Amino acid sequence: MSLSTDYWGSTARTHLARSPLGWLDTDWVLKRRVFPMIFGSDPGGWWTKDAMVQLGVPLGGEWLDLGCGGGHAEMAMAENGLFDHMVAYDPSPGSIDLARSQAHDRGLDHLVEFRQADVNSIELPEAAFDVVHINMALHHVAELEHVLYQINRALRPGGLFLANEYVGPSQFQFDAQRMDIVNGFLQELPERLRWNPIANETKTSHPRFPRQYWDEVDPTEAVRSDEIPDLLAVNFPNRRRIDYGGNLLNLALENIGQNFDPESPDDASYIDRLFQREDEVLQQETSDFAYFVCPRGPEEALTAGRLLARSADTRHRARPVDGADVEALRSLAQIRLESGTGSSRPLVGPLVVRAKHLARRALRFQLSPVAEQQSAFNAAAVDLIARWGTDLTARLDHVEQENRDLRSRLLRRPPDPKDGATGP
């Protein structure tokens, strides 16, 4: 079991024991800011029938959820009658055990089936679901190309993919200007509004952890979050994106949002000031959080998604490398050509960029498995080239002999075993 799955299993249990303190867990933030931006009004929660109507989502049918965690959202959807049946996956065994126990206690286990699986390598049945849903889990996925193609493939005609996601800077590498705005706002707040019960101290600034921190604590956290919108565009060209900010609110209110009373004139003035500053930031930056409503992609998108998934190198999905398996080596080495033209230009450029990106990422993870696989591949490739070289030399000798025979017959003279003569 990985560090990340251990971490998220314990997190699911922790949320049962204390009030959630993230900005999207703070009631007044949802009612006054987030819900009006997404749904046009407060529909009574994220997963209500009114919310789905506002998004144009049909009720009933077979639903799939990826990255369900402890199953809180999925059970809320079941209780609100959004589907006939749901299958929900999460990589953490601890989270799945908790979700199953809670579903049983609430009498929902006949509506929601919780399963454990690594979402990065999941293989989904074709055209099996009316709706695929992800809530704040896609930014934990490293193999986005594979997963988004699988989602599109798993949707029935007319189906929808719903994703509520963080799509801001990967591993939360915010620029200095944004951090200055956030920390400046925190300094303006009275101490009573800055008390952080998690850290048991007054919040004076919001930390910006380096990539190394996330690599150690949770390597999946926002691993490729800023690539999500572009990859969604490949698989779901008719998607609808609903931005709802969070560029400042997410950072400024983390662990202190519960301290504000929106009915208090003093607190309301600070809230309004924060909303205004975020609006100003959103004039210059793309929203960090967005709700995506994605109709099933057409056949062209399925083809493009499949090619992109196959061409993307992977860390999480197993790829066999057998030094004696020539076909496996060819499969790993091949460059997929644009269909029908024989041109690789539309794919080579993106693949080079992707390769550089993967190389940079590899430096932040354990390199020994990569080195071992690369060494095995190199050794197999050298052996293969050597065998091909021997075969090629024999073939060239044979072809040259045929040429000499042909030349001799054309010149009506006996063949010269040493070298072909050029004429009488």
Side-chain angles (χ1 to χ4, degrees), residues 47 62-75 77 83 85-91 96 99 112-117 119 122 124 129-138 147 151 154 160-165 291:
W47 304 286
E62 293 288 328
W63 285 37
L64 168 71
D65 188 277
L66 298 177
C68 62
H72 169 76
E74 294 68 28
M75 284 181 274
M77 286 187 253
F83 48 76
H85 182 261
M86 171 184 277
V87 178
Y89 287 93
D90 194 85
I96 290 299
V112 188
E113 180 182 349
F114 291 102
R115 301 177 183 175
Q116 190 270 331
V119 175
I122 198 165
L124 298 174
F129 301 100
D130 299 291
V131 174
V132 176
H133 176 265
I134 290 183
N135 181 54
M136 292 299 163
L138 194 58
V147 172
I151 291 172
L160 288 175
F161 171 42
L162 306 178
N164 180 30
E165 270 307 325
Y291 205 117

Side-chain angles (χ1 to χ4, degrees), residues 55-315:
L55 296 175
V57 179
L59 302 178
E62 293 288 328
W63 285 37
L64 168 71
D65 188 277
L66 298 177
C68 62
H72 169 76
E74 294 68 28
M75 284 181 274
M77 286 187 253
E79 290 175 331
N80 288 326
L82 301 191
F83 48 76
D84 296 327
H85 182 261
M86 171 184 277
V87 178
Y89 287 93
D90 194 85
S92 167
S95 294
I96 290 299
D97 288 345
L98 177 64
R100 288 171 177 167
S101 174
Q102 294 286 308
H104 177 75
D105 292 345
R106 292 162 67 170
L108 300 172
D109 44 3
H110 66 291
L111 292 175
V112 188
E113 180 182 349
F114 291 102
R115 301 177 183 175
Q116 190 270 331
D118 181 2
V119 175
N120 281 286
S121 58
I122 198 165
E123 298 287 339
L124 298 174
E126 185 173 3
F129 301 100
D130 299 291
V131 174
V132 176
H133 176 265
I134 290 183
N135 181 54
M136 292 299 163
L138 194 58
H139 68 274
H140 289 278
V141 172
E143 307 304 339
L144 288 169
E145 295 88 348
H146 171 75
V147 172
L148 291 175
Y149 165 65
Q150 287 292 321
I151 291 172
N152 194 17
R153 179 177 177 272
L155 285 170
R156 292 169 177 165
L160 288 175
F161 171 42
L162 306 178
N164 180 30
E165 270 307 325
Y166 168 75
V167 292
S170 295
Q171 293 189 305
F172 308 124
Q173 298 304 294
F174 307 109
D175 60 37
Q177 181 179 3
R178 181 179 313 182
M179 300 309 300
D180 288 344
I181 296 173
V182 169
N183 294 331
F185 173 78
L186 290 172
Q187 293 301 319
E188 297 174 8
L189 296 177
E191 188 169 338
R192 65 179 178 83
L193 295 179
R194 292 189 284 123
W195 177 249
N196 178 354
I198 301 298
N200 198 34
E201 64 183 14
T202 300
K203 184 175 180 177
T204 58
S205 63
H206 188 83
R208 177 186 178 275
F209 297 109
R211 295 186 184 276
Q212 291 82 357
Y213 169 86
W214 296 111
D215 292 343
E216 294 175 4
V217 173
D218 182 8
T220 74
E221 185 62 81
V223 59
R224 295 176 63 193
S225 53
D226 53 12
E227 299 178 60
I228 290 173
D230 288 342
L231 292 171
L232 276 172
V234 174
N235 293 273
F236 303 97
N238 299 319
R239 73 210 171 282
R240 179 159 62 105
R241 172 174 175 163
I242 308 170
D243 291 331
Y244 60 93
N247 298 40
L248 299 186
L249 272 68
N250 174 39
L251 308 178
L253 297 178
E254 180 70 24
N255 293 341
I256 65 170
Q258 76 287 344
N259 296 332
F260 292 76
D261 178 6
E263 303 304 322
S264 162
D266 289 341
D267 292 9
S269 67
Y270 290 115
I271 292 171
D272 292 340
R273 194 178 309 170
L274 181 58
F275 286 174
Q276 180 181 356
R277 291 186 185 177
E278 175 151 295
D279 287 337
E280 293 170 356
V281 168
L282 291 175
Q283 295 296 318
Q284 308 297 325
E285 300 179 359
T286 304
S287 174
D288 277 1
F289 291 81
Y291 205 117
F292 296 90
V293 182
C294 309
R296 181 181 185 268
E299 289 302 317
E300 294 83 359
L302 280 167
T303 300
R306 181 174 65 253
L307 290 174
L308 188 61
R310 288 181 178 178
S311 64
D313 200 357
T314 62
R315 288 186 295 106

